[in-house]
């Protein structure tokens, strides 16, 4: 999700959750925070390989479908494609060129392509944290203005940059100096067998960025409490949930040396994303088809259809596509997987920037601001014309 | 007096002959050297390949240039058909591809340079920020009905 949401507060009496307190809590950050503590207390006792295998299987049901969900929303409608023609028709060719160049020049091009992707990916996660904070801010009545945005973005992007630079430095130091580095440590400096570049920055500069980052985070929290004072009431603390979750991902995860937890960040990011993407899909699709509220059964069946479609889409993108490339070009599995992972995900960063701004002429308002209750409750009341 | 003159002229004639012989030898040697050098040059030229092949790095950079040109040509041919937002988006692709090519070229030429790393990191972050605005800045494409009504007015 990109960071631009119209500051529009949900009308009084409407829930500021997409589904309800528990579903939103767990999907926006609860699962990340629980996983953090679970890994913190068990990582010394459990085999790291277990976590890696778990992450491998989970990405097929969480991470890959989240990429598919983006493409499904964008490419499933001609109306959507015509709103953003360059993203729809030129971008896929540019990304295919990048993937082809990785396969053609695995030692010369692929490392740079992987480096750009690996720097861009956490940037994208931070942009999503920004977007979701603003979204819940708008839903809860906490207006995120210009100054708030500056403080928030400094914290979100600063924490990712600091972790990226520090983790990169330590991983490369391990691989460069320690010939006996374990395969797990070597993984840090390799992206599916493709070595990637590390940006060497003076430690003092990184520490200075870190200090500014924490200060900005505190300032943003102060802005929140100032907004509460101005509103004359305590605004829902849930508005801070995405920021707190981000702090677990990019500050605490690294501070506690939990490489395993950091490895799961793409999954946590995808869980957040799927909640918003599902809500927007369900709302825009069902509200568009019928003036009547469709009810629980229709919502459930559309949800199941959406889940199956995206599981299949993820499998095609990350399972079939690399195998097809191997068949066509004779490249190795690792190079094909690295090229597809980087290419498809960079494509996702672009498409994600436009899908939240798509306009559906048959729907009312922004689907980002709706709640599931708009669809499943009060159907009878509506039938009776109340 | 006459004997002296005779001896002098004989000596002069000998000197002239010697000098001429030396000049002849030098000329012959020089001619030989020129011929030899020319032969070597001809041999070297004939041994030179007709084509100097691109290195892999040059192929990649050339590919980036071609892609930028193709995208710019698309923009040119769409000059009356596409709106400003589409042209801006196509230009942003050129920035993306050019930025990536520069990153690859400099990072591979000067690995480990602190200054270059700083510039590359800052440049890439700026590029990500720019790409966040991809095809969302500027007015959205106009619908046909809007265009027709504008044309009428």
């Amino acid at each position: 999700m990109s960071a631009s949401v119209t500051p529009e507060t949900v009308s009084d009496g409407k829930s500021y959750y997409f589904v309800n307190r528990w579903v939103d809590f767990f999907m926006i950050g609860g699962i990340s925070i629980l996983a953090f503590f679970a890994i913190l207390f068990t990582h010394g006792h459990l085999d790291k390989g277990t976590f890696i295998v778990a992450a491998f299987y989970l990405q097929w049901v969480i991470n890959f479908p989240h990429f598919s969900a983006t493409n499904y929303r964008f490419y499933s409608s001609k109306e959507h494609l015509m709103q953003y023609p360059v993203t729809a028709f030129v971008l896929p060719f540019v990304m295919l060129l990048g993937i082809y160049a990785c396969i053609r020049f695995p030692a010369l091009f692929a490392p740079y392509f992987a480096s750009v992707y690996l720097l861009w990916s956490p940037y994208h996660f931070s942009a999503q944290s920004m977007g979701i904070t603003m979204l819940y801010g708008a839903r809860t009545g906490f207006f995120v203005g210009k100054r708030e945005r500056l403080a928030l973005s400094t914290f979100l992007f600063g924490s990712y940059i600091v972790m990226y630079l520090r983790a990169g430095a330590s991983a490369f130091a391990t691989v460069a100096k320690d010939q006996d580095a374990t395969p797990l440590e070597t993984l840090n400096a390799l992206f599916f067998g493709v070595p990637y570049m590390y940006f060497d920055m003076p430690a003092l500069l990184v520490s200075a960025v870190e200090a500014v980052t924490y200060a900005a985070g505190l300032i943003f929290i102060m802005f929140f409490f100032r907004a509460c004072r101005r509103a004359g009431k305590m605004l829902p603390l849930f508005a801070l949930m995405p920021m707190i979750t981000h702090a677990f991902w990019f500050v605490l995860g690294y501070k506690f040396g939990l490489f395993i937890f950091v490895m799961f960040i793409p999954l946590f990011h995808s869980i957040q994303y799927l909640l918003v993407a599902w809500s927007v899909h369900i709302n825009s699709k069902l509200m568009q088809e019928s003036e009547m509220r469709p009810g629980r059964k229709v919502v459930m069946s559309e949800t199941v259809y959406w889940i199956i479609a995206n599981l299949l889409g993820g499998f095609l993108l990350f399972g079939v596509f690399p195998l097809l490339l191997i068949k066509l070009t004779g490249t190795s599995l690792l190079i094909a997987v690295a090229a597809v992972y980087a290419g498809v995900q960079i494509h996702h960063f672009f498409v994600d920037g436009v899908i939240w701004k798509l306009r559906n002429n048959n729907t009312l308002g922004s689907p980002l601001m709706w709640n599931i209750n708009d669809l499943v409750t009060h159907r009878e009341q509506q039938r009776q014309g109340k | 007096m006459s004997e002296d003159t005779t001896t002098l002229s004989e000596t002069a004639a000998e000197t002239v002959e010697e000098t001429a012989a030396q000049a002849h030898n030098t000329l012959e040697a020089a001619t030989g050297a020129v011929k030899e050098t020319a032969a070597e040059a001809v041999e070297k030229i004939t041994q030179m390949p007709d084509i100097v092949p691109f290195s892999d790095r040059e192929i990649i950079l050339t590919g980036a240039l071609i892609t930028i040109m193709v995208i710019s040509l698309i923009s040119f041919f769409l000059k009356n058909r596409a709106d400003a937002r589409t042209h801006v988006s196509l230009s942003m692709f050129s920035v993306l591809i050019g930025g990536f090519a520069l990153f690859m070229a400099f990072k591979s030429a000067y690995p480990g340079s602190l200054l270059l790393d700083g510039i590359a990191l800052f440049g890439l972050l700026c590029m990500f920020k720019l790409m966040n605005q991809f095809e969302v800045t500027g007015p959205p494409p106009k619908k046909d009905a809007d265009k027709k009504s504008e044309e009428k007015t």
Side-chain angles (χ1 to χ4, degrees):
Chain A
M1 275 191 70
S2 62
S4 53
V5 175
T6 313
E8 175 192 338
T9 308
V10 172
S11 58
D12 285 346
K14 235 175 172 183
S15 168
Y16 50 80
Y17 297 113
F18 281 101
V19 180
N20 61 39
R21 179 185 304 174
W22 294 108
V23 171
D24 281 40
F25 171 77
F26 278 108
M27 294 193 77
I28 295 300
I31 293 173
S32 302
I33 295 167
L34 283 178
F36 173 83
F37 287 110
I39 292 170
L40 181 67
F41 294 123
T42 60
H43 82 291
H45 311 290
L46 290 176
D47 178 24
K48 286 178 182 174
T50 311
F51 289 104
I52 293 175
V53 171
F56 174 78
Y57 285 113
L58 282 173
Q59 66 181 355
W60 289 92
V61 291
I62 295 172
N63 203 12
F64 299 160
H66 118 271
F67 295 111
S68 172
T70 316
N71 293 331
Y72 181 74
R73 174 151 172 77
F74 187 54
Y75 290 102
S76 61
S77 156
K78 192 186 167 192
E79 190 191 346
H80 291 171
L81 299 181
M82 297 319 290
Q83 283 178 45
Y84 298 102
V86 183
T87 306
F89 302 113
V90 183
L91 175 68
F93 288 101
V94 174
M95 285 306 120
L96 280 174
L97 266 178
I99 291 171
Y100 171 75
C102 281
I103 290 166
R104 174 79 174 74
F105 305 103
L108 198 58
F109 184 88
Y112 299 95
F113 198 60
S115 304
V116 170
Y117 154 68
L118 288 168
L119 182 65
W120 204 337
S121 183
Y123 179 94
H124 170 73
F125 300 163
S126 306
Q128 174 166 296
S129 296
M130 181 93 187
I132 291 185
T133 306
M134 292 179 66
L135 191 58
Y136 276 105
R139 294 172 79 103
T140 55
F142 170 42
F143 176 67
V144 182
K146 213 172 182 179
R147 282 184 297 178
E148 289 86 350
R149 275 183 74 137
L150 180 66
L152 180 64
S153 59
T154 304
F155 173 74
L156 297 175
F157 292 101
S159 54
Y160 124 69
I161 285 290
V162 168
M163 194 197 83
Y164 180 88
L165 291 174
R166 292 234 164 104
S170 84
F172 278 80
T174 306
V175 176
K177 289 176 186 168
D178 185 6
Q179 294 298 318
D180 300 324
T182 64
L184 195 66
E185 287 165 336
T186 315
L187 273 177
N188 285 335
L190 289 176
F191 176 65
F192 293 101
V194 174
Y196 59 87
M197 306 297 139
Y198 156 63
F199 297 92
D200 194 15
M201 292 285 118
L204 194 66
L205 182 67
V206 179
S207 299
V209 173
E210 191 175 22
V212 172
T213 297
Y214 296 158
L218 287 174
I219 290 169
F220 182 74
I221 292 170
M222 278 167 54
F223 279 137
F224 174 78
F225 286 108
R226 194 184 65 169
C228 293
R229 202 183 63 209
R230 283 184 180 174
K233 62 177 181 180
M234 188 65 193
L235 294 171
L237 280 168
F238 201 83
L240 297 177
M241 188 67 182
M243 181 203 178
I244 293 167
T245 306
H246 188 88
F248 271 89
W249 292 353
F250 290 107
V251 181
L252 298 176
Y254 179 72
K255 286 279 177 199
F256 282 85
L258 300 178
F259 164 68
I260 293 294
F261 176 77
V262 172
M263 199 178 67
F264 278 92
I265 292 175
L267 289 172
F268 302 141
H269 157 85
S270 302
I271 291 170
Q272 276 188 345
Y273 189 95
L274 284 170
L275 172 68
V276 183
W278 166 79
S279 174
V280 168
H281 169 77
I282 291 289
N283 280 298
S284 53
K285 170 115 184 175
L286 298 183
M287 290 295 267
Q288 186 175 320
E289 283 178 350
S290 167
E291 287 181 8
M292 298 294 285
R293 291 177 183 180
R296 195 174 293 272
K297 271 189 184 173
V298 178
V299 169
M300 283 301 287
S301 63
E302 183 60 33
T303 301
V304 170
Y305 172 77
W306 182 79
I307 289 171
I308 292 171
N310 287 320
L311 282 170
L312 191 66
F315 176 72
L316 287 173
L317 281 173
F318 294 93
V320 176
F321 189 19
L323 291 177
L324 196 67
L325 285 178
I326 293 168
K327 186 87 177 164
L328 290 174
T329 63
T331 187
S332 72
L333 177 68
L334 286 179
I335 296 295
V337 168
V340 168
Y341 270 46
V344 170
Q345 296 197 41
I346 292 175
H347 173 268
H348 165 80
F349 304 154
F350 279 93
V351 177
D352 187 47
V354 302
I355 57 168
W356 310 107
K357 298 171 184 80
L358 289 168
R359 297 183 315 279
N360 281 357
N361 294 332
N362 300 330
T363 57
L364 300 167
S366 168
L368 281 168
M369 300 305 291
W370 291 346
N371 175 268
I372 193 69
N373 288 332
D374 295 335
L375 292 173
V376 299
T377 60
H378 311 305
R379 192 180 184 199
E380 287 304 315
Q381 287 177 358
Q382 200 177 34
R383 271 187 184 156
Q384 290 161 13
K386 286 182 183 175
Chain B
M1 176 72 182
S2 61
E3 275 180 14
D4 287 348
T5 310
T6 308
T7 312
L8 194 63
S9 58
E10 277 173 1
T11 310
E14 277 172 12
T15 309
V16 167
E17 268 177 21
E18 269 175 24
T19 310
Q22 276 175 1
H24 179 73
N25 290 341
T26 308
L27 198 64
E28 233 176 31
T31 311
V34 167
K35 276 182 183 171
E36 204 175 300
T37 310
E40 273 176 19
V42 168
E43 197 181 332
K44 277 184 184 170
I45 287 167
T46 50
Q47 279 174 358
M48 271 175 70
D50 293 335
I51 300 165
V52 181
F54 277 179
S55 68
D56 281 352
R57 195 161 169 269
E58 286 169 334
I59 291 174
I60 294 170
L61 295 176
T62 309
L65 283 176
I66 291 170
T67 312
I68 289 171
M69 282 182 70
V70 168
I71 287 170
S72 303
L73 280 172
I74 292 172
S75 182
F76 173 77
F77 286 117
L78 290 176
K79 61 183 173 184
N80 293 327
R81 295 180 194 176
D83 52 77
R85 199 179 73 175
T86 303
H87 291 295
V88 171
S89 305
L90 290 169
S91 302
M92 283 167 80
F93 264 138
S94 298
V95 173
L96 176 76
I97 295 163
F100 179 79
L102 284 175
F103 167 63
M104 202 203 83
F106 280 98
K107 189 84 175 147
S108 59
Y110 305 102
S113 160
L114 204 67
L115 177 67
L116 193 71
D117 272 9
I119 293 170
L121 181 65
F122 182 71
L124 285 172
L125 291 175
C126 289
M127 198 164 74
F128 299 159
K129 176 72 184 160
L130 184 71
M131 294 304 143
N132 259 5
Q133 303 297 310
F134 190 81
E135 219 177 359
V136 292
T137 48
K142 285 176 185 169
K143 290 177 185 171
D144 289 345
D146 295 341
K147 280 182 188 172
K148 280 175 189 170
S149 66
E150 267 186 17
E151 280 168 13
K152 279 179 187 174
T153 53

